Amino acid sequence: MCKIVETERELEVVSNYDVVVCGGGIAGISAALASARQGAKTLLIEREYMLGGLATAGLIAIYLPLCDGMGKQVSFGIAEELLRLSIEKGSEGRQLPECWEGEGTVEERAKKRFEVQYNPQIFAILAEKLLIKEGVDLLYGTVVCNTVCENGKITHLIIENKSGRQAIELKSVVDATGDADIVHLCGEKEALF
């Protein structure tokens, strides 16, 4: 097997952000929303051309229960906001049970989970509109190729897309890739959880 040595290149730093979220699945969408709502200049990088990851492009279009199965809601905040966003234009298949809409009793709610089935393409569009409204910048079709670290901290991401290879300066990064890709690019053998 032969090897090829890539020559060093000087890359333009095209932008800087307080927070860069890598991965546009539900976790990445949530992280970007939380960051932007705290006033941070936020970028979300997605390697595909739609948001939502498995929840949209993966066609796993059932928003998992936000309840414990015994009638008590256990997930709130952005999780609930995204569930309700997913059916803003109507649901598919499993409807949001009426008892979770208003003043349902614990007994009623124990019989019907707080979950819905949604149209994944519509959800992806609504999620994008929400992120843009909150001031999140989006980069689709973009891969993080490498990281630049100084004193144990990521300072830049090297990205590549149709515009070529570029660098982004950042203060913080959220690895929502699902495979710990950013952690791996930093040279870590395993993530500590």
Side-chain angles (χ1 to χ4, degrees):
M1 181 185 295
C2 75
K3 294 187 179 195
I4 295 174
V5 176
E6 187 178 33
T7 58
E8 270 190 38
R9 312 184 231 193
E10 201 171 270
L11 299 177
E12 181 182 354
V13 177
V14 293
S15 54
N16 61 20
Y17 287 89
D18 297 320
V19 177
V20 176
V21 178
C22 301
I26 298 298
I29 292 168
S30 300
L33 281 174
S35 171
R37 287 174 176 170
Q38 291 297 313
K41 183 179 176 190
T42 304
L43 170 69
L44 188 148
I45 296 173
E46 171 53 44
R47 75 173 177 201
E48 303 301 334
Y49 292 89
M50 76 185 300
L51 292 173
L54 290 174
T56 57
L59 299 178
I60 302 174
I62 296 175
Y63 208 109
L64 296 178
L66 301 184
C67 63
D68 63 2
M70 295 177 279
K72 185 173 182 183
Q73 184 174 347
V74 293
S75 295
F76 299 87
I78 291 175
E80 182 177 0
E81 178 183 3
L82 292 179
L83 177 141
R84 293 187 184 282
L85 180 70
S86 76
I87 57 169
E88 184 177 288
K89 303 294 182 193
S91 58
E92 310 253 333
R94 297 180 196 183
Q95 307 284 321
L96 181 63
E98 206 172 287
C99 59
W100 288 101
E101 285 283 8
E103 297 296 321
T105 66
V106 171
E107 292 76 23
E108 291 173 319
R109 289 178 172 184
K111 294 176 188 169
K112 297 184 186 248
R113 301 297 301 264
F114 190 2
E115 66 183 358
V116 294
Q117 189 171 351
Y118 55 88
N119 179 300
Q121 290 79 21
I122 292 173
F123 184 34
I125 292 166
L126 294 174
E128 179 181 280
K129 287 176 74 173
L130 176 61
L131 287 168
I132 291 168
K133 182 181 131 219
E134 295 290 343
V136 176
D137 291 337
L138 301 168
L139 275 180
Y140 289 113
T142 301
V143 177
V144 178
C145 304
N146 211 344
T147 59
V148 176
C149 298
E150 293 175 11
N151 301 319
K153 183 179 182 322
I154 299 173
T155 59
H156 295 79
L157 296 177
I158 309 302
I159 62 166
E160 193 163 88
N161 56 28
K162 285 177 69 172
S163 298
R165 204 172 191 115
Q166 304 166 330
I168 296 174
E169 186 176 3
L170 55 94
K171 293 179 183 170
S172 297
V173 65
V174 176
D175 188 341
T177 61
D179 293 325
D181 291 339
I182 308 307
V183 171
H184 175 75
L185 288 172
C186 291
E188 295 297 324
K189 300 285 186 254
E190 59 186 61
L192 301 174
F193 297 103

